[in-house]
Amino acid sequence: MSHFSQIKTQIRNLTGLQAALTDMGIDWKAGPREVRGYRGQTTSAEVAIEQDNGYDVGFRWNGQEYELVADLQYWQQNLTVNGFLNQVTQRYAYHTVVNETTKQGFQVAQQQKNEDGSIRLVLQRWAG
């Protein structure tokens, strides 16, 4: 019986996911890699985060999005699972907005991190 939990996300772009994890200071490894779980069980993931306790956290493509896979009994991150996913999702959204708007000729004019943790971006584009 597998002890791996799969948690759905809204993350669909691998590069954005990797950038988000890097922003958070997380040492991740590109896959496909085996994510280690209970009693030597493994599952394949496109991104793996090794933990000091020998159990890993991963992000695996399920055909629609990158879901978090981990044996949550051995979770060893600085944040709760929800807190971790919220931060990853926020950084992912930031990178998605900046990348997509850059393609349309915008650039970041201002960036402000608010007390509640939200990020305010002001974008500009000069008409040519």
Side-chain angles (χ1 to χ4, degrees), residues 40-56:
Q41 293 177 343
T42 62
T43 188
S44 184
E46 281 69 32
V47 172
I49 302 163
E50 296 176 351
Q51 300 185 121
D52 292 338
N53 62 4
Y55 299 91
D56 305 324

Side-chain angles (χ1 to χ4, degrees):
M1 171 147 172
S2 175
H3 284 244
F4 283 104
S5 295
Q6 295 93 25
I7 301 173
K8 290 187 178 293
T9 70
Q10 295 297 310
I11 297 171
R12 293 184 177 86
N13 179 281
L14 184 58
T15 306
L17 169 60
Q18 293 168 337
L21 294 171
T22 299
D23 285 356
M24 293 171 60
I26 293 173
D27 182 22
W28 57 270
K29 309 273 188 260
R33 284 184 103 78
E34 292 300 310
V35 173
R36 302 169 295 173
Y38 180 71
R39 290 195 172 184
Q41 293 177 343
T42 62
T43 188
S44 184
E46 281 69 32
V47 172
I49 302 163
E50 296 176 351
Q51 300 185 121
D52 292 338
N53 62 4
Y55 299 91
D56 305 324
V57 175
F59 285 90
R60 173 175 66 196
W61 182 251
N62 68 11
Q64 296 180 359
E65 68 211 358
Y66 288 93
E67 61 188 6
L68 177 92
V69 289
D71 187 332
L72 299 180
Q73 185 174 341
Y74 299 102
W75 183 261
Q76 197 182 50
Q77 298 298 309
N78 292 336
L79 299 162
T80 64
V81 176
N82 283 342
F84 176 81
L85 278 175
N86 286 343
Q87 215 171 66
V88 169
T89 301
Q90 181 192 45
R91 294 308 305 168
Y92 171 78
Y94 168 86
H95 283 285
T96 301
V97 167
V98 170
N99 290 337
E100 291 303 314
T101 55
T102 298
K103 288 178 191 173
Q104 297 171 27
F106 288 89
Q107 47 189 159
V108 176
Q110 275 184 337
Q111 178 175 322
Q112 171 186 329
K113 187 162 187 173
N114 299 319
E115 281 184 36
D116 65 359
S118 64
I119 299 170
R120 180 177 179 269
L121 288 174
V122 176
L123 303 163
Q124 66 183 16
R125 175 170 64 181
W126 300 104

